[in-house]
Each structure stands twice: as structure tokens, then as C-alpha cells.
Amino acid sequence: MQNNVELMRVAYDRIVAEYDSRWSVHVAEPQRQLTRELRLLPGDRCADLGCGTGFDTLELLKLATPGEVVGVDCSPAMLDTARTRAQSAGLTLTTRCEGADEFLAHAEAASFDVISLRFCLGFDLRLVYHRSFTRKCISLLTLYHLL
């Protein structure tokens, strides 16, 4: 039986060509607002977990440059699109092809100024059905000493 990350990888690899037109453009304004509220500064290091096609990641890159943004996604096709999007804008996106939990588990302590978790946690049923979703997110980040 395939695990959740593998199932998501297969699904997102299949829909990558239509993803932005079917999803990203419809949530663009709230995402821009979230990005502004992160208050990224030039030189910051940011991890964008579940970065997908990089639609929102590109704005993080623009704000953090000359710092680093690490786009994390379980879909190689989504990451290819995100890298291409960044390169087209003259920026460099560091990518990691893995699930958010896996990435957090081996990230170096206090290694990021900002961690963006926009959508990926919604697909981890262990987190969605936790009594306190927000408390679980903070617990994960504290557990891995990333903030």
C-alpha cells in the first residue's frame, strides 16, 4: 500500500500543468496578503513547505533575496515548475523533494527565519484531525527547533 506522500506525489505530478489555472489564481490575493504578513527581509532564510509550482514561492524569493528560499514539495513535477518559474524571474530556488514532516525532521535547528506552511498540512490527516490544529503546528516547529 502506498503512503500518503507517495499518493500526493502521483496526484500532483498528474495535475501540474493545470494546477495554477485551477487553483493558484483563485487564491492569489489572500496568498499575497499572507506573504506580506510574513515580513520577510532581504537576507532571510525561508522554507516554503508544500511550495507546489512556486506561484507564491516566487514572491518569497523576491523579498528574501539575497537570502535563500527552500521550496519543499513531494512532487518532482511541481518542483520542476517552481524552479523554472524562479529562473525565468532571474532568481535561484533551492528545492527538496520530500514531504513536510520528513524535511522538518532532518532540518538543522534554528536554520530558518520563516517557515511557510500554506496548504501542505491540510493533507496530513494526523494533523488535520488533531484537537488543536494550531497547537500541533507550533508543536512541530518547536519540536524540530526551527524557529
Side-chain angles (χ1 to χ4, degrees):
M1 178 182 231
Q2 294 176 313
N3 64 34
N4 286 344
V5 172
E6 179 63 17
L7 291 172
M8 285 188 294
R9 183 198 64 76
V10 170
Y12 283 108
D13 280 353
R14 286 184 184 156
I15 65 166
V16 67
E18 301 91 31
Y19 185 80
D20 287 334
S21 64
R22 291 183 179 217
W23 174 253
S24 301
V25 296
H26 302 291
V27 294
E29 184 49 40
Q31 293 308 312
R32 280 192 287 275
Q33 183 177 347
L34 284 171
T35 297
R36 283 190 303 269
E37 290 176 10
L38 290 174
R39 294 182 174 90
L40 275 170
L41 299 172
D44 278 350
R45 188 158 191 253
C46 174
D48 189 12
L49 306 181
C51 72
T53 63
F55 191 86
D56 301 304
T57 312
L58 184 60
E59 293 306 312
L60 299 173
L61 269 169
K62 289 175 182 176
L63 293 169
T65 296
E68 180 184 30
V69 174
V70 179
V72 179
D73 205 282
C74 63
S75 165
M78 290 281 195
L79 288 173
D80 287 344
T81 301
R83 275 191 301 275
T84 299
R85 177 172 269 137
Q87 288 169 350
S88 295
L91 299 167
T92 301
L93 175 65
T94 303
T95 59
R96 299 286 182 267
C97 189
E98 56 193 335
D101 284 352
E102 182 182 1
F103 177 79
L104 291 173
H106 68 263
E108 193 174 319
S111 56
F112 294 97
D113 299 296
V114 173
I115 297 177
S116 174
L117 301 100
R118 296 172 193 246
F119 301 109
C120 67
L121 292 176
F123 297 102
D124 188 337
L125 297 179
R126 293 169 297 163
L127 299 177
V128 171
Y129 293 114
H130 191 276
R131 269 186 248 156
S132 173
F133 181 72
T134 303
R135 189 172 51 203
K136 180 64 175 178
C137 293
I138 292 169
S139 296
L140 270 175
L141 296 176
T142 303
L143 172 69
Y144 296 121
H145 309 289
L146 295 176
L147 294 178

